[in-house]
Amino acid sequence: MMYSSKRKPVLYFKEERRFLSGKCTVYKLFGLCMVLLLVSLLWLQLSCSGEMSSPLHEERRPPPQPPCPPTNRQAEDDPSWGPHKLALIVPFRERFDELLVFVPFMHDFLNKKKIRHKILVINQVDHYRFNRASLINVGFLESGNDTDYLAMHDVDLLPLNEALDYGFPSEGPFHVASPELHPLYHYKTYVGGILTLTKKHYHMCNGMSNRFWGWGREDDEFYRRLRKAELQLFRPIGITTGYKTFLHIHDSAWRKRDQKRVASQKQEQFKVDPEGGLSNLRYEVESRRDLSISGAPCTVISVRLQCDTDLTPWCLLT
């Protein structure tokens, strides 16, 4: 007769009752008890031997090894790294997902090239519109005396070709993200994205203009400053990776750029600012924190920029 699986336990108990029926003898019960006793003694012996031997095994185990030290540290005393140190200045506001990728990537990239560096994230925390040029000016002034050249570096642009030069630009400003290589901008006078130059050359230009609130045009004005200071601009040669030289990680659908032109900003954005720059920069440092992102060190300087609304009323969105 066939039974469903749900009724199998019932059959089990019926069979058990037949085994313990009246046909059992004293000898059968005695034998069963002896078997159970032997099994119990054997189990107890194995348990005790296991408890006694476990400390011995633990004593033979080698001590836990500390994690391997990071191999991407800067060799401060290694002369092969050269005497110069780069201040990597990153103008920043609320783009933490990109920063989490940028800092460890650039730290590793520069260490592989033996570039002494420190990463300065200049974080704008006021309520004015984003001002990339002023934040770079702040980074220059806050970079300290231990660095002698700087890189103006967008947080969403990652170099993929290790042949790119981030070394000391003694002959003149070096545009790493040149128009022939940048994935988006290809006009000849473009100097944005990534530009390295000595602190002396940056000071000769009086830094960047503080008039550019919102996105764009500050690089074009800085190109004119380079020409006025009679500085020769250099760009990479021999790079064959073209527009795949950099990875642009900005998601335009998620983060809209502030391209609004407020009041007279549309007319003023094409004018040269002959006096503004480091000389009229106004800001306050709210905090300065040394952080580590995936083992890569950086310094986040949170600043409040100040705006003269009579001169640049477009620093406020109306």
Side-chain angles (χ1 to χ4, degrees):
M1 181 181 293
M2 299 296 294
Y3 295 92
S4 67
S5 59
K6 293 182 180 179
R7 296 185 62 85
K8 285 183 179 180
V10 178
L11 290 175
Y12 174 80
F13 287 117
K14 284 185 178 180
E15 291 175 357
E16 189 174 319
R17 284 198 295 269
R18 283 198 298 270
F19 178 78
L20 297 177
S21 63
K23 295 182 181 180
C24 295
T25 64
V26 176
Y27 298 104
K28 289 182 179 180
L29 292 174
F30 178 78
L32 180 61
C33 291
M34 291 300 295
V35 171
L36 292 175
L37 179 62
L38 291 174
V39 171
S40 300
L41 291 174
L42 181 61
W43 177 82
L44 181 62
Q45 183 179 3
L46 292 175
S47 300
C48 293
S49 62
E51 292 177 357
M52 294 180 64
S53 62
S54 59
L56 296 176
H57 288 296
E58 291 178 358
E59 290 177 3
R60 294 193 189 103
R61 292 175 184 171
Q65 298 295 323
C68 296
T71 58
N72 59 353
R73 289 183 179 177
Q74 300 180 47
E76 297 295 339
D77 299 327
D78 188 346
S80 66
W81 286 60
H84 303 289
K85 187 173 182 179
L86 169 68
L88 189 70
I89 299 175
V90 185
F92 179 82
R93 175 185 265 177
E94 298 178 349
R95 296 170 70 172
F96 298 99
D97 50 345
E98 296 171 3
L99 188 68
L100 293 177
V101 176
F102 178 86
V103 170
F105 182 93
M106 289 305 305
H107 182 63
D108 183 64
F109 182 87
L110 294 173
N111 280 343
K112 287 180 179 178
K113 297 180 68 64
K114 295 188 175 183
I115 302 291
R116 302 184 195 274
H117 65 276
K118 63 180 180 181
I119 301 175
L120 301 176
V121 181
I122 314 302
N123 179 32
Q124 184 176 343
V125 296
D126 54 68
H127 298 292
Y128 296 119
R129 300 172 71 189
F130 186 67
N131 192 322
R132 177 178 179 270
S134 291
L135 295 178
I136 294 174
N137 286 339
V138 172
F140 171 82
L141 295 175
E142 297 292 332
S143 59
N145 296 326
D146 59 333
T147 59
D148 52 1
Y149 73 113
L150 60 101
M152 304 150 52
H153 210 302
D154 289 350
V155 71
D156 58 7
L157 197 60
L158 304 178
L160 301 180
N161 192 325
E162 294 186 3
L164 290 169
D165 189 2
Y166 277 75
F168 186 74
S170 57
E171 297 182 357
F174 184 76
H175 190 205
V176 181
S178 66
E180 298 83 9
L181 304 176
H182 196 284
L184 297 178
Y185 308 114
H186 310 138
Y187 58 94
K188 294 182 179 180
T189 58
Y190 176 68
V191 292
I194 309 168
L195 180 71
T196 63
L197 67 167
T198 67
K199 285 189 169 183
K200 177 183 177 181
H201 290 161
Y202 193 79
H203 194 272
M204 288 172 58
C205 297
N206 192 23
M208 302 185 75
S209 172
N210 301 304
R211 294 172 58 87
F212 293 88
W213 301 88
W215 182 82
R217 297 297 181 185
E218 74 282 348
D219 295 321
D220 297 334
E221 202 274 345
F222 189 67
Y223 175 80
R224 298 180 182 181
R225 292 178 178 235
L226 295 175
R227 294 191 62 181
K228 183 180 179 180
E230 298 181 352
L231 293 173
Q232 176 66 46
L233 179 67
F234 294 87
R235 285 177 169 146
I237 57 175
I239 302 296
T240 60
T241 45
Y243 297 149
K244 296 182 179 180
T245 303
F246 299 93
L247 177 63
H248 191 246
I249 60 176
H250 177 78
D251 187 353
S252 57
W254 175 253
R255 296 187 182 277
K256 300 292 185 182
R257 299 193 187 278
D258 178 12
Q259 300 184 14
K260 295 181 180 180
R261 296 296 179 255
V262 180
S264 59
Q265 184 180 10
K266 188 173 182 179
Q267 293 75 31
E268 295 290 332
Q269 66 181 340
F270 296 103
K271 295 181 180 180
V272 178
D273 183 8
E275 299 178 357
L278 296 173
S279 55
N280 68 346
L281 175 68
R282 294 186 298 165
Y283 71 97
E284 295 179 0
V285 174
E286 183 178 270
S287 65
R288 187 184 188 108
R289 294 187 176 93
D290 294 327
L291 302 179
S292 177
I293 301 178
S294 298
C298 68
T299 300
V300 178
I301 305 175
S302 295
V303 300
R304 293 185 179 274
L305 301 177
Q306 298 180 19
C307 172
D308 187 340
T309 54
D310 293 331
L311 295 176
T312 56
W314 52 84
C315 63
L316 295 169
L317 283 175
T318 57

